[in-house]
Every structure is written in C-alpha cells, then in structure tokens.
Short mmCIF file of all heavy atoms in Angstrom, two decimals:
data_model
loop_
_atom_site.label_atom_id
_atom_site.label_comp_id
_atom_site.label_asym_id
_atom_site.label_seq_id
_atom_site.Cartn_x
_atom_site.Cartn_y
_atom_site.Cartn_z
N MET A 15 88.62 90.23 88.43
CA MET A 15 89.67 90.53 89.39
C MET A 15 89.80 89.40 90.41
O MET A 15 88.98 89.28 91.30
CB MET A 15 89.36 91.84 90.11
CG MET A 15 89.49 93.09 89.29
SD MET A 15 89.22 94.51 90.34
CE MET A 15 89.63 95.78 89.23
N SER A 16 90.72 88.61 90.28
CA SER A 16 91.18 87.60 91.24
C SER A 16 90.10 86.79 91.96
O SER A 16 90.13 86.62 93.16
CB SER A 16 92.11 88.24 92.27
OG SER A 16 91.41 89.04 93.18
N GLY A 17 89.12 86.27 91.20
CA GLY A 17 88.19 85.31 91.79
C GLY A 17 87.00 85.89 92.54
O GLY A 17 85.99 85.25 92.67
N TRP A 18 87.08 87.08 93.05
CA TRP A 18 85.97 87.72 93.74
C TRP A 18 85.34 88.74 92.81
O TRP A 18 85.99 89.25 91.91
CB TRP A 18 86.45 88.45 95.00
CG TRP A 18 86.93 87.55 96.08
CD1 TRP A 18 88.21 87.14 96.27
CD2 TRP A 18 86.16 86.94 97.11
NE1 TRP A 18 88.28 86.33 97.36
CE2 TRP A 18 87.03 86.20 97.90
CE3 TRP A 18 84.81 86.97 97.45
CZ2 TRP A 18 86.61 85.48 99.00
CZ3 TRP A 18 84.39 86.26 98.55
CH2 TRP A 18 85.29 85.52 99.31
N ASN A 19 84.09 89.06 93.06
CA ASN A 19 83.45 90.13 92.30
C ASN A 19 83.81 91.46 92.95
O ASN A 19 83.61 91.64 94.14
CB ASN A 19 81.94 89.95 92.28
CG ASN A 19 81.53 88.77 91.43
OD1 ASN A 19 82.14 88.50 90.42
ND2 ASN A 19 80.50 88.07 91.85
N HIS A 20 84.33 92.37 92.15
CA HIS A 20 84.74 93.68 92.64
C HIS A 20 84.04 94.76 91.85
O HIS A 20 83.75 94.61 90.67
CB HIS A 20 86.26 93.87 92.48
CG HIS A 20 87.07 93.05 93.40
ND1 HIS A 20 87.37 91.74 93.16
CD2 HIS A 20 87.64 93.36 94.58
CE1 HIS A 20 88.12 91.28 94.16
NE2 HIS A 20 88.29 92.24 95.03
N ASP A 21 83.76 95.88 92.51
CA ASP A 21 83.27 97.08 91.85
C ASP A 21 84.44 98.02 91.67
O ASP A 21 85.24 98.21 92.59
CB ASP A 21 82.19 97.77 92.70
CG ASP A 21 80.90 96.97 92.75
OD1 ASP A 21 80.52 96.41 91.70
OD2 ASP A 21 80.28 96.92 93.82
N ASP A 22 84.52 98.63 90.50
CA ASP A 22 85.61 99.56 90.20
C ASP A 22 85.46 100.81 91.06
O ASP A 22 84.42 101.44 91.08
CB ASP A 22 85.57 99.92 88.72
CG ASP A 22 86.66 100.87 88.32
OD1 ASP A 22 87.74 100.84 88.95
OD2 ASP A 22 86.45 101.63 87.37
N MET A 23 86.51 101.15 91.79
CA MET A 23 86.51 102.34 92.63
C MET A 23 87.33 103.46 92.02
O MET A 23 87.45 104.53 92.59
CB MET A 23 87.06 102.01 94.03
CG MET A 23 86.15 101.12 94.83
SD MET A 23 84.61 101.96 95.27
CE MET A 23 83.42 101.02 94.35
N GLY A 24 87.93 103.22 90.87
CA GLY A 24 88.65 104.27 90.17
C GLY A 24 90.14 104.10 90.20
O GLY A 24 90.68 103.11 90.67
N ASP A 25 90.82 105.11 89.66
CA ASP A 25 92.27 105.13 89.56
C ASP A 25 92.85 106.07 90.60
O ASP A 25 92.30 107.12 90.88
CB ASP A 25 92.71 105.61 88.18
CG ASP A 25 92.26 104.68 87.07
OD1 ASP A 25 91.97 103.51 87.34
OD2 ASP A 25 92.22 105.15 85.93
N PHE A 26 93.98 105.67 91.15
CA PHE A 26 94.70 106.47 92.13
C PHE A 26 96.12 106.68 91.62
O PHE A 26 96.65 105.85 90.89
CB PHE A 26 94.73 105.75 93.48
CG PHE A 26 93.40 105.67 94.15
CD1 PHE A 26 92.48 104.70 93.79
CD2 PHE A 26 93.06 106.57 95.16
CE1 PHE A 26 91.25 104.62 94.41
CE2 PHE A 26 91.83 106.50 95.78
CZ PHE A 26 90.91 105.53 95.41
N PRO A 27 96.75 107.78 92.01
CA PRO A 27 98.11 108.05 91.52
C PRO A 27 99.17 107.12 92.10
O PRO A 27 100.25 107.01 91.54
CB PRO A 27 98.36 109.50 91.94
CG PRO A 27 97.46 109.72 93.11
CD PRO A 27 96.25 108.86 92.86
N SER A 28 98.87 106.46 93.23
CA SER A 28 99.85 105.56 93.84
C SER A 28 99.12 104.53 94.71
O SER A 28 97.95 104.73 95.08
CB SER A 28 100.84 106.34 94.71
OG SER A 28 100.18 106.87 95.85
N GLU A 29 99.84 103.49 95.07
CA GLU A 29 99.29 102.47 95.96
C GLU A 29 99.01 103.09 97.34
O GLU A 29 97.99 102.78 97.97
CB GLU A 29 100.26 101.30 96.08
CG GLU A 29 99.68 100.12 96.82
CD GLU A 29 100.57 98.90 96.74
OE1 GLU A 29 101.10 98.61 95.65
OE2 GLU A 29 100.72 98.23 97.78
N GLN A 30 99.89 103.96 97.81
CA GLN A 30 99.69 104.59 99.11
C GLN A 30 98.43 105.45 99.12
O GLN A 30 97.71 105.48 100.12
CB GLN A 30 100.90 105.43 99.52
CG GLN A 30 100.81 105.96 100.93
CD GLN A 30 100.68 104.85 101.97
OE1 GLN A 30 101.45 103.90 101.98
NE2 GLN A 30 99.69 104.97 102.86
N ALA A 31 98.14 106.15 98.03
CA ALA A 31 96.91 106.95 97.94
C ALA A 31 95.69 106.05 98.05
O ALA A 31 94.70 106.39 98.70
CB ALA A 31 96.89 107.75 96.65
N ALA A 32 95.73 104.88 97.43
CA ALA A 32 94.62 103.93 97.50
C ALA A 32 94.46 103.39 98.93
O ALA A 32 93.34 103.25 99.44
CB ALA A 32 94.84 102.79 96.52
N ILE A 33 95.57 103.10 99.58
CA ILE A 33 95.53 102.61 100.96
C ILE A 33 94.97 103.69 101.89
O ILE A 33 94.13 103.40 102.75
CB ILE A 33 96.93 102.14 101.40
CG1 ILE A 33 97.31 100.86 100.65
CG2 ILE A 33 96.99 101.93 102.91
CD1 ILE A 33 98.76 100.45 100.80
N ASP A 34 95.41 104.93 101.71
CA ASP A 34 94.89 106.04 102.52
C ASP A 34 93.38 106.19 102.33
O ASP A 34 92.64 106.41 103.28
CB ASP A 34 95.60 107.35 102.16
CG ASP A 34 97.06 107.36 102.57
OD1 ASP A 34 97.47 106.51 103.40
OD2 ASP A 34 97.80 108.21 102.05
N TRP A 35 92.91 106.07 101.09
CA TRP A 35 91.48 106.14 100.79
C TRP A 35 90.73 105.04 101.53
O TRP A 35 89.68 105.28 102.13
CB TRP A 35 91.27 106.04 99.28
CG TRP A 35 89.86 105.85 98.86
CD1 TRP A 35 88.92 106.82 98.70
CD2 TRP A 35 89.21 104.61 98.58
NE1 TRP A 35 87.73 106.26 98.33
CE2 TRP A 35 87.87 104.90 98.24
CE3 TRP A 35 89.63 103.29 98.57
CZ2 TRP A 35 86.96 103.91 97.90
CZ3 TRP A 35 88.71 102.31 98.23
CH2 TRP A 35 87.40 102.62 97.90
N ALA A 36 91.28 103.82 101.50
CA ALA A 36 90.63 102.69 102.18
C ALA A 36 90.56 102.95 103.69
O ALA A 36 89.52 102.71 104.32
CB ALA A 36 91.38 101.40 101.90
N HIS A 37 91.62 103.45 104.27
CA HIS A 37 91.62 103.74 105.70
C HIS A 37 90.59 104.82 106.05
O HIS A 37 89.88 104.68 107.05
CB HIS A 37 93.00 104.19 106.18
CG HIS A 37 94.00 103.08 106.25
ND1 HIS A 37 93.81 101.93 106.99
CD2 HIS A 37 95.21 102.94 105.65
CE1 HIS A 37 94.85 101.14 106.85
NE2 HIS A 37 95.72 101.71 106.04
N ARG A 38 90.51 105.87 105.23
CA ARG A 38 89.52 106.93 105.48
C ARG A 38 88.10 106.40 105.46
O ARG A 38 87.22 106.93 106.13
CB ARG A 38 89.64 108.02 104.40
CG ARG A 38 90.53 109.15 104.74
CD ARG A 38 90.29 110.35 103.85
NE ARG A 38 90.05 110.04 102.45
CZ ARG A 38 90.99 109.77 101.54
NH1 ARG A 38 92.26 109.75 101.90
NH2 ARG A 38 90.67 109.52 100.30
N ASN A 39 87.85 105.37 104.67
CA ASN A 39 86.51 104.81 104.52
C ASN A 39 86.30 103.55 105.36
O ASN A 39 85.31 102.85 105.17
CB ASN A 39 86.24 104.53 103.04
CG ASN A 39 86.02 105.80 102.27
OD1 ASN A 39 84.99 106.44 102.42
ND2 ASN A 39 86.99 106.20 101.46
N ASN A 40 87.23 103.28 106.27
CA ASN A 40 87.14 102.11 107.15
C ASN A 40 86.95 100.81 106.37
O ASN A 40 86.13 99.97 106.72
CB ASN A 40 86.00 102.28 108.17
CG ASN A 40 86.27 103.43 109.10
OD1 ASN A 40 87.38 103.61 109.58
ND2 ASN A 40 85.24 104.24 109.33
N ILE A 41 87.73 100.67 105.31
CA ILE A 41 87.68 99.48 104.47
C ILE A 41 88.89 98.62 104.78
O ILE A 41 90.02 99.11 104.77
CB ILE A 41 87.66 99.86 102.98
CG1 ILE A 41 86.38 100.64 102.66
CG2 ILE A 41 87.79 98.63 102.11
CD1 ILE A 41 86.36 101.23 101.28
N ASP A 42 88.66 97.37 105.07
CA ASP A 42 89.74 96.43 105.32
C ASP A 42 90.53 96.26 104.03
O ASP A 42 89.96 96.06 102.95
CB ASP A 42 89.15 95.09 105.76
CG ASP A 42 90.19 94.12 106.27
OD1 ASP A 42 91.25 93.98 105.63
OD2 ASP A 42 89.94 93.50 107.31
N LEU A 43 91.84 96.33 104.11
CA LEU A 43 92.68 96.22 102.92
C LEU A 43 92.52 94.88 102.21
O LEU A 43 92.79 94.77 101.01
CB LEU A 43 94.15 96.46 103.27
CG LEU A 43 94.48 97.87 103.76
CD1 LEU A 43 95.95 97.98 104.09
CD2 LEU A 43 94.05 98.92 102.75
N ARG A 44 92.02 93.87 102.93
CA ARG A 44 91.78 92.58 102.28
C ARG A 44 90.57 92.63 101.34
O ARG A 44 90.38 91.74 100.53
CB ARG A 44 91.56 91.49 103.33
CG ARG A 44 92.82 91.24 104.16
CD ARG A 44 92.55 90.31 105.29
NE ARG A 44 91.69 91.02 106.25
CZ ARG A 44 91.38 90.56 107.45
NH1 ARG A 44 91.84 89.39 107.83
NH2 ARG A 44 90.62 91.25 108.26
N ASP A 45 89.77 93.69 101.43
CA ASP A 45 88.58 93.83 100.59
C ASP A 45 88.83 94.66 99.34
O ASP A 45 87.91 94.87 98.55
CB ASP A 45 87.43 94.47 101.39
CG ASP A 45 86.87 93.52 102.42
OD1 ASP A 45 86.92 92.30 102.19
OD2 ASP A 45 86.39 93.99 103.46
N ILE A 46 90.06 95.14 99.15
CA ILE A 46 90.34 95.89 97.93
C ILE A 46 91.33 95.11 97.07
O ILE A 46 92.12 94.31 97.55
CB ILE A 46 90.86 97.32 98.21
CG1 ILE A 46 92.20 97.32 98.92
CG2 ILE A 46 89.83 98.13 98.96
CD1 ILE A 46 92.83 98.71 99.03
N HIS A 47 91.22 95.35 95.78
CA HIS A 47 92.12 94.74 94.82
C HIS A 47 92.80 95.88 94.07
O HIS A 47 92.13 96.77 93.55
CB HIS A 47 91.33 93.87 93.84
CG HIS A 47 92.18 93.25 92.80
ND1 HIS A 47 92.40 93.85 91.58
CD2 HIS A 47 92.89 92.10 92.78
CE1 HIS A 47 93.19 93.07 90.86
NE2 HIS A 47 93.50 92.02 91.56
N MET A 48 94.13 95.87 94.05
CA MET A 48 94.88 96.91 93.36
C MET A 48 95.60 96.31 92.16
O MET A 48 96.19 95.24 92.26
CB MET A 48 95.89 97.55 94.30
CG MET A 48 95.25 98.38 95.38
SD MET A 48 96.44 99.30 96.35
CE MET A 48 96.66 98.16 97.72
N LYS A 49 95.51 97.02 91.05
CA LYS A 49 96.18 96.60 89.83
C LYS A 49 96.95 97.79 89.28
O LYS A 49 96.37 98.85 89.04
CB LYS A 49 95.14 96.12 88.81
CG LYS A 49 95.72 95.69 87.50
CD LYS A 49 94.62 95.24 86.56
CE LYS A 49 95.20 94.89 85.20
NZ LYS A 49 94.13 94.56 84.26
N HIS A 50 98.24 97.62 89.10
CA HIS A 50 99.08 98.69 88.57
C HIS A 50 98.95 98.71 87.05
O HIS A 50 99.10 97.68 86.40
CB HIS A 50 100.54 98.46 88.98
CG HIS A 50 100.73 98.52 90.46
ND1 HIS A 50 101.06 99.68 91.11
CD2 HIS A 50 100.59 97.58 91.42
CE1 HIS A 50 101.14 99.45 92.41
NE2 HIS A 50 100.86 98.18 92.62
N ARG A 51 98.64 99.90 86.54
CA ARG A 51 98.48 100.06 85.09
C ARG A 51 99.11 101.39 84.70
O ARG A 51 98.60 102.44 85.05
CB ARG A 51 97.01 100.04 84.70
CG ARG A 51 96.76 100.22 83.22
CD ARG A 51 95.28 100.24 82.87
NE ARG A 51 94.51 101.18 83.64
CZ ARG A 51 94.39 102.48 83.37
NH1 ARG A 51 95.02 103.01 82.34
NH2 ARG A 51 93.65 103.28 84.12
N GLY A 52 100.22 101.30 84.02
CA GLY A 52 100.92 102.53 83.63
C GLY A 52 101.34 103.29 84.88
O GLY A 52 101.95 102.75 85.77
N GLY A 53 100.96 104.56 84.95
CA GLY A 53 101.33 105.38 86.09
C GLY A 53 100.25 105.48 87.15
O GLY A 53 100.33 106.33 88.02
N VAL A 54 99.22 104.62 87.07
CA VAL A 54 98.12 104.69 88.05
C VAL A 54 97.88 103.31 88.66
O VAL A 54 98.36 102.30 88.18
CB VAL A 54 96.81 105.20 87.41
CG1 VAL A 54 96.97 106.61 86.88
CG2 VAL A 54 96.32 104.28 86.32
N VAL A 55 97.10 103.32 89.73
CA VAL A 55 96.71 102.08 90.40
C VAL A 55 95.19 102.00 90.32
O VAL A 55 94.48 102.89 90.80
CB VAL A 55 97.16 102.08 91.88
CG1 VAL A 55 96.68 100.82 92.59
CG2 VAL A 55 98.66 102.19 91.97
N GLU A 56 94.69 100.95 89.66
CA GLU A 56 93.25 100.71 89.59
C GLU A 56 92.82 99.99 90.85
O GLU A 56 93.47 99.04 91.28
CB GLU A 56 92.90 99.84 88.39
CG GLU A 56 93.20 100.46 87.06
CD GLU A 56 92.92 99.52 85.91
OE1 GLU A 56 92.80 98.30 86.12
OE2 GLU A 56 92.84 100.02 84.77
N VAL A 57 91.72 100.43 91.45
CA VAL A 57 91.25 99.83 92.70
C VAL A 57 89.85 99.28 92.51
O VAL A 57 88.98 99.94 91.95
CB VAL A 57 91.27 100.87 93.85
CG1 VAL A 57 90.66 100.29 95.10
CG2 VAL A 57 92.70 101.33 94.11
N GLY A 58 89.66 98.06 93.00
CA GLY A 58 88.34 97.43 93.02
C GLY A 58 87.99 97.09 94.46
O GLY A 58 88.86 96.75 95.26
N LEU A 59 86.72 97.21 94.80
CA LEU A 59 86.23 96.91 96.14
C LEU A 59 85.35 95.67 96.08
O LEU A 59 84.43 95.60 95.26
CB LEU A 59 85.44 98.09 96.69
CG LEU A 59 84.82 97.92 98.07
CD1 LEU A 59 85.90 97.73 99.14
CD2 LEU A 59 83.95 99.13 98.41
N ARG A 60 85.63 94.70 96.93
CA ARG A 60 84.87 93.46 96.95
C ARG A 60 83.39 93.77 97.19
O ARG A 60 83.01 94.48 98.11
CB ARG A 60 85.38 92.54 98.07
CG ARG A 60 84.77 91.16 98.00
CD ARG A 60 85.26 90.28 99.10
NE ARG A 60 86.72 90.20 99.08
CZ ARG A 60 87.41 89.48 99.96
NH1 ARG A 60 86.80 88.81 100.91
NH2 ARG A 60 88.72 89.46 99.89
N ARG A 61 82.53 93.24 96.34
CA ARG A 61 81.10 93.53 96.42
C ARG A 61 80.47 93.07 97.73
O ARG A 61 79.51 93.67 98.21
CB ARG A 61 80.36 92.87 95.27
CG ARG A 61 80.58 93.58 93.98
CD ARG A 61 79.70 93.06 92.88
NE ARG A 61 80.04 93.76 91.66
CZ ARG A 61 79.94 93.24 90.47
NH1 ARG A 61 79.48 92.02 90.32
NH2 ARG A 61 80.26 93.95 89.42
N SER A 62 81.00 92.05 98.33
CA SER A 62 80.40 91.52 99.55
C SER A 62 80.50 92.48 100.73
O SER A 62 79.88 92.25 101.76
CB SER A 62 81.03 90.17 99.92
OG SER A 62 82.40 90.34 100.21
N THR A 63 81.26 93.57 100.59
CA THR A 63 81.34 94.55 101.68
C THR A 63 80.04 95.32 101.81
O THR A 63 79.79 95.92 102.85
CB THR A 63 82.49 95.56 101.46
OG1 THR A 63 82.22 96.34 100.30
CG2 THR A 63 83.83 94.86 101.38
N GLY A 64 79.23 95.34 100.75
CA GLY A 64 77.96 96.04 100.79
C GLY A 64 78.08 97.54 100.63
O GLY A 64 77.09 98.26 100.71
N ARG A 65 79.29 98.04 100.42
CA ARG A 65 79.51 99.48 100.26
C ARG A 65 79.09 99.91 98.86
O ARG A 65 79.29 99.20 97.89
CB ARG A 65 80.97 99.86 100.46
CG ARG A 65 81.52 99.53 101.81
CD ARG A 65 81.13 100.63 102.80
NE ARG A 65 81.73 100.38 104.08
CZ ARG A 65 82.71 101.11 104.59
NH1 ARG A 65 83.20 102.12 103.95
NH2 ARG A 65 83.19 100.82 105.78
N LYS A 66 78.54 101.09 98.77
CA LYS A 66 78.17 101.68 97.48
C LYS A 66 79.05 102.89 97.24
O LYS A 66 79.48 103.56 98.17
CB LYS A 66 76.70 102.10 97.47
CG LYS A 66 75.74 100.98 97.78
CD LYS A 66 75.75 99.95 96.69
CE LYS A 66 74.74 98.86 97.00
NZ LYS A 66 75.03 97.61 96.42
N GLU A 67 79.27 103.21 95.98
CA GLU A 67 80.14 104.33 95.60
C GLU A 67 79.72 105.62 96.29
O GLU A 67 80.56 106.38 96.76
CB GLU A 67 80.09 104.51 94.07
CG GLU A 67 80.86 105.71 93.56
CD GLU A 67 82.35 105.50 93.53
OE1 GLU A 67 82.79 104.35 93.53
OE2 GLU A 67 83.08 106.51 93.51
N ASN A 68 78.42 105.88 96.38
CA ASN A 68 77.97 107.15 96.95
C ASN A 68 78.10 107.20 98.47
O ASN A 68 77.86 108.24 99.07
CB ASN A 68 76.53 107.46 96.53
CG ASN A 68 75.55 106.41 96.99
OD1 ASN A 68 75.94 105.36 97.49
ND2 ASN A 68 74.28 106.68 96.82
N GLU A 69 78.50 106.12 99.12
CA GLU A 69 78.69 106.10 100.57
C GLU A 69 80.14 106.36 100.96
O GLU A 69 80.45 106.45 102.14
CB GLU A 69 78.29 104.74 101.14
CG GLU A 69 76.83 104.39 100.96
CD GLU A 69 76.53 102.96 101.39
OE1 GLU A 69 77.47 102.16 101.53
OE2 GLU A 69 75.35 102.66 101.56
N LEU A 70 81.03 106.46 100.00
CA LEU A 70 82.46 106.55 100.27
C LEU A 70 82.97 107.98 100.17
O LEU A 70 82.47 108.78 99.38
CB LEU A 70 83.23 105.65 99.31
CG LEU A 70 82.83 104.18 99.37
CD1 LEU A 70 83.48 103.41 98.22
CD2 LEU A 70 83.19 103.57 100.69
N ASP A 71 83.97 108.29 100.96
CA ASP A 71 84.60 109.61 100.95
C ASP A 71 85.64 109.63 99.83
O ASP A 71 86.68 109.00 99.94
CB ASP A 71 85.27 109.86 102.31
CG ASP A 71 86.00 111.19 102.36
OD1 ASP A 71 85.95 111.95 101.38
OD2 ASP A 71 86.60 111.46 103.41
N ASN A 72 85.35 110.33 98.76
CA ASN A 72 86.21 110.35 97.59
C ASN A 72 86.87 111.70 97.36
O ASN A 72 87.33 112.00 96.28
CB ASN A 72 85.40 109.98 96.35
CG ASN A 72 84.93 108.56 96.42
OD1 ASN A 72 85.66 107.67 96.80
ND2 ASN A 72 83.67 108.33 96.06
N ARG A 73 86.91 112.55 98.39
CA ARG A 73 87.39 113.92 98.19
C ARG A 73 88.90 114.05 98.17
O ARG A 73 89.42 115.06 97.74
CB ARG A 73 86.84 114.83 99.28
CG ARG A 73 85.34 114.99 99.15
CD ARG A 73 84.82 115.78 100.29
NE ARG A 73 84.86 114.90 101.47
CZ ARG A 73 84.47 115.27 102.66
NH1 ARG A 73 84.02 116.47 102.88
NH2 ARG A 73 84.52 114.42 103.66
N TYR A 74 89.62 113.08 98.67
CA TYR A 74 91.07 113.21 98.81
C TYR A 74 91.78 112.05 98.13
O TYR A 74 91.15 111.07 97.76
CB TYR A 74 91.47 113.23 100.28
CG TYR A 74 90.66 114.20 101.10
CD1 TYR A 74 89.63 113.76 101.92
CD2 TYR A 74 90.92 115.55 101.04
CE1 TYR A 74 88.89 114.64 102.66
CE2 TYR A 74 90.18 116.45 101.79
CZ TYR A 74 89.17 115.99 102.59
OH TYR A 74 88.43 116.87 103.33
N GLY A 75 93.08 112.12 98.02
CA GLY A 75 93.88 110.99 97.56
C GLY A 75 94.21 111.01 96.10
O GLY A 75 94.80 110.07 95.60
N GLY A 76 93.81 112.05 95.39
CA GLY A 76 94.21 112.16 93.99
C GLY A 76 93.48 111.23 93.05
O GLY A 76 94.01 110.89 92.00
N ARG A 77 92.28 110.83 93.40
CA ARG A 77 91.52 109.98 92.46
C ARG A 77 91.35 110.70 91.15
O ARG A 77 91.09 111.90 91.11
CB ARG A 77 90.15 109.65 93.02
CG ARG A 77 90.18 108.52 93.99
CD ARG A 77 88.82 108.21 94.48
NE ARG A 77 87.94 107.88 93.37
CZ ARG A 77 86.86 107.14 93.49
NH1 ARG A 77 86.52 106.67 94.65
NH2 ARG A 77 86.11 106.87 92.46
N SER A 78 91.46 109.97 90.07
CA SER A 78 91.31 110.59 88.76
C SER A 78 89.92 110.40 88.19
O SER A 78 89.66 110.77 87.05
CB SER A 78 92.36 110.04 87.79
OG SER A 78 92.25 108.65 87.68
N ASP A 79 89.01 109.80 88.95
CA ASP A 79 87.62 109.70 88.54
C ASP A 79 86.77 109.62 89.79
O ASP A 79 87.26 109.66 90.90
CB ASP A 79 87.37 108.51 87.61
CG ASP A 79 87.80 107.19 88.21
OD1 ASP A 79 88.26 107.16 89.35
OD2 ASP A 79 87.67 106.17 87.52
N GLY A 80 85.48 109.52 89.63
CA GLY A 80 84.59 109.52 90.78
C GLY A 80 83.90 110.85 90.92
O GLY A 80 83.89 111.66 90.00
N PHE A 81 83.31 111.11 92.06
CA PHE A 81 82.55 112.33 92.25
C PHE A 81 83.43 113.57 92.33
O PHE A 81 83.05 114.65 91.93
CB PHE A 81 81.72 112.23 93.54
CG PHE A 81 80.64 111.21 93.46
CD1 PHE A 81 80.73 110.03 94.17
CD2 PHE A 81 79.54 111.41 92.66
CE1 PHE A 81 79.73 109.09 94.09
CE2 PHE A 81 78.54 110.47 92.58
CZ PHE A 81 78.63 109.30 93.28
N PHE A 82 84.61 113.43 92.90
CA PHE A 82 85.50 114.57 93.11
C PHE A 82 86.75 114.36 92.30
O PHE A 82 87.45 113.38 92.49
CB PHE A 82 85.84 114.71 94.59
CG PHE A 82 84.63 114.90 95.43
CD1 PHE A 82 84.00 113.81 96.02
CD2 PHE A 82 84.08 116.15 95.62
CE1 PHE A 82 82.88 113.97 96.78
CE2 PHE A 82 82.95 116.32 96.38
CZ PHE A 82 82.33 115.23 96.98
N GLN A 83 87.04 115.27 91.40
CA GLN A 83 88.22 115.11 90.55
C GLN A 83 89.21 116.22 90.80
O GLN A 83 88.89 117.30 91.13
CB GLN A 83 87.83 115.11 89.09
CG GLN A 83 86.94 113.95 88.76
CD GLN A 83 86.60 113.89 87.28
OE1 GLN A 83 87.10 114.65 86.49
NE2 GLN A 83 85.75 112.98 86.91
#
C-alpha cells in the first residue's frame, strides 16, 4: 500500500464510515490508506502509529470484519 507498511484494518461500507472510525480512535487521517474495491472501502493503518487491532474501537461504522460484525 503506497510505500508505507500498513496493517489491514478491514472493510467499511463507505469512505465516510472509515473516516468516522478513524476519528473515534483518534487516528490522523494521514495514517490511514483507503482503497475502493467493489462496494467496500479497504482500510490500512500505517504501522508506525504503534496501534494494535485490539486497542481500537471497532463496534460502529459497519465494518464487515474485525471483532464486531
């Protein structure tokens, strides 16, 4: 993903849902990478942020994978 190492954060139903998720988790939008694929948006989080999947709030935003579906 675009030159940086990213961890897959899952699929979201829209770009706005991914942005809302990032805001809820206090993630700078410059640290996420969004890729549109079909009807979903794949999101990657730059590894240098030090965030781990289990530290993030994944309960909202229509994620189609992760801890909360």
Side-chain angles (χ1 to χ4, degrees):
M15 289 184 173
S16 73
W18 292 92
N19 289 324
H20 289 82
D21 290 320
D22 180 29
M23 291 292 114
D25 296 339
F26 291 81
S28 68
E29 188 171 318
Q30 187 59 50
I33 290 169
D34 292 343
W35 170 83
H37 287 303
R38 267 196 320 279
N39 287 288
N40 296 317
I41 296 171
D42 190 315
L43 294 180
R44 294 173 291 188
D45 289 330
I46 65 172
H47 178 268
M48 291 187 265
K49 179 180 176 185
H50 296 268
R51 179 182 52 83
V54 298
V55 177
E56 296 176 344
V57 174
L59 178 63
R60 189 181 304 180
R61 286 188 183 149
S62 63
T63 64
R65 299 278 184 110
K66 303 293 183 206
E67 175 76 21
N68 61 351
E69 297 173 344
L70 301 171
D71 178 2
N72 295 317
R73 293 175 287 180
Y74 310 102
R77 278 182 58 156
S78 58
D79 57 1
F81 293 109
F82 301 93
Q83 297 183 6

